Amino acid sequence: MELKDVAVLITGGGSGLGEATARAMAAKGARIGVIDQNKDNAEKVAAEVKGVGLHADVTSEEQIKAAIAKAEATHGVARVLMNCAGIGGSQRIVGRDGVYPLEKFARIINVNLIGTFNCLRLFAERLVTIEPVGEERGVIINTASVAAYEGQIGQIAYSASKGGVVGLTLPAARDLASQKIRVNTIAPGLFFTPLLMSLSEEARKSLGAQVPHPSRLGDAKEYGSLAVHIVENPMLNGETIRLDGAIRMAPR
Ligand SMILES: NC(=O)c1ccc[n+]([C@@H]2O[C@H](COP(=O)([O-])OP(=O)(O)OC[C@H]3O[C@@H](n4cnc5c(N)ncnc54)[C@H](O)[C@@H]3O)[C@@H](O)[C@H]2O)c1
C-alpha cells in the first residue's frame, strides 16, 4: 500500500521508535495521528510532522476510541496502525526486593499486550467501514522485542508481554485476511532511544558491542524504514521480523 495521503495512527508516537516511524511515514506523504500518554511529546511530534497529537492511554477503550475519532475528523479513517507504545520494568521472581509483585506483572502485560490488542481491535473496527484500495484495505504493525525469544534475567513480565504480541500476530492476520487487512510485527534488538539514553556512553558502547554486525545500537530510523517497507510490500503478512543485527541475548 502506498503511504501518500493515507491516514496513519502511531501509538507511542511521542518518542523513540514511534517518533522515528512518524517521521518516516510523514516523509512518504502520510497523515499522521500521534497517540501517546505523554501529551506534550504527542503534540510536539505531531507539530513537526504536520499531524494530529492525540493524548490517550493504549489500555483505555474510551480514550483510544476518542483518539481515533479525533484523528478521523481531520484525516479520515486510518488505513495504517503502528503499535509502538510499550513499557519495560526489570525484577527477579524472588530477589533482594522480595517476591515479584503481581500488580507490576499485570501492569506490563496490560500496556504491552492488552494495549496492543485494544488499539488493534478498535482500529480494525473503523477500517472495515471503508472500501479497499486495490487489493488492500490496510495494515497493522505491532512492536515486540527479541526478549520475546531470549528474555533475560529480570525480564519475566516484559518477555511474556512481547511473546504475547508475537503470538497474536498470525491469528490476527488470519482473522482480518477476509477484510484485506495485513498484520505484522517487528521484534527489535537494541535500539538507541530515550529508553537507553539514561545509560552512560560506556554502557551504551558495551551494549552495542554485543551486536554481531553491525556492532552498534540500532538507529530508530532503521526501524522506521522497515515499518514503511512493511506497509509498501503487500506479500508481508502474519510475520514477526527480527531487526537486531543477529543479536541473541544472553541470560544477563
Ligand atoms: N529501544 C529498544 O531497544 C527496544 C527494543 C525492543 C523493543 N522495543 C519496544 O519498542 C517500543 C517503543 O520503544 P522505545 O524504545 O521507542 O521507547 P520510548 O520510551 O522512547 O517510547 C515509548 C512511548 O510509549 C508511550 N507509552 C507508554 N505507555 C503508554 C500507554 N499506556 N499509552 C500510550 N502511550 C504509552 C510513552 O509515553 C513513550 O512516548 C516499545 O514497545 C518497546 O518495548 C524497544
Side-chain angles (χ1 to χ4, degrees):
M1 166 170 288
E2 296 288 317
L3 277 158
K4 185 150 178 31
D5 296 328
V6 161
V8 173
L9 294 171
I10 305 180
T11 77
S15 172
L17 303 181
E19 177 180 353
T21 306
R23 293 184 199 288
M25 292 190 176
K28 290 274 179 175
R31 301 168 182 192
I32 313 291
V34 180
I35 301 178
D36 207 293
Q37 69 175 7
N38 183 321
K39 188 169 184 280
D40 291 348
N41 283 353
E43 283 168 2
K44 185 171 134 285
V45 174
E48 285 168 22
V49 300
K50 299 188 170 55
V52 188
L54 306 153
H55 180 216
D57 182 331
V58 293
T59 66
S60 160
E61 170 163 15
E62 197 190 341
Q63 289 180 31
I64 292 301
K65 270 194 170 171
I68 291 174
K70 191 175 164 196
E72 232 176 89
T74 319
H75 293 160
V77 176
R79 289 194 185 271
V80 175
L81 169 68
M82 193 69 218
N83 271 313
C84 287
I87 55 171
S90 170
Q91 189 167 337
R92 285 182 185 235
I93 300 166
V94 183
R96 251 170 296 167
D97 305 328
V99 70
Y100 198 111
L102 198 53
E103 317 80 70
K104 180 173 175 181
F105 188 91
R107 169 83 188 135
I108 293 170
I109 299 290
N110 199 29
V111 174
N112 293 357
L113 177 56
I114 301 179
T116 294
F117 180 65
N118 187 39
C119 295
L120 179 156
R121 75 189 178 103
L122 296 173
F123 163 82
E125 182 188 28
R126 294 299 307 142
L127 178 52
V128 298
T129 65
I130 59 171
E131 288 303 308
V133 178
E135 63 179 354
E136 293 202 81
R137 191 174 260 118
V139 185
I140 296 168
I141 305 172
N142 305 308
T143 308
S145 163
V146 295
Y149 308 103
E150 301 112 38
Q152 297 188 289
I153 288 170
Q155 284 193 310
I156 190 92
Y158 186 71
S159 297
S161 70
K162 296 301 190 178
V165 172
V166 172
L168 67 71
T169 303
L170 182 60
R174 287 173 165 172
D175 260 22
L176 295 171
S178 59
Q179 303 287 354
K180 304 183 193 300
I181 300 169
R182 291 184 290 122
V183 185
N184 291 287
T185 292
I186 302 175
L190 299 170
F191 276 71
F192 184 53
T193 68
L195 265 183
L196 297 185
M197 278 175 196
S198 56
L199 296 179
S200 67
E201 174 83 22
E202 200 185 353
R204 272 186 239 150
K205 277 209 172 118
S206 128
L207 270 181
Q210 294 173 26
V211 183
H213 176 68
S215 198
R216 59 167 172 80
L217 296 175
D219 182 329
K221 282 186 191 146
E222 291 157 345
Y223 177 96
S225 81
L226 177 57
V228 166
H229 180 76
I230 291 172
V231 173
E232 290 177 345
N233 191 328
M235 274 312 278
L236 268 174
N237 195 11
E239 183 61 306
T240 297
I241 303 169
R242 291 183 68 125
L243 187 67
D244 66 3
I247 199 167
R248 299 295 178 269
M249 303 298 289
R252 70 177 84 214

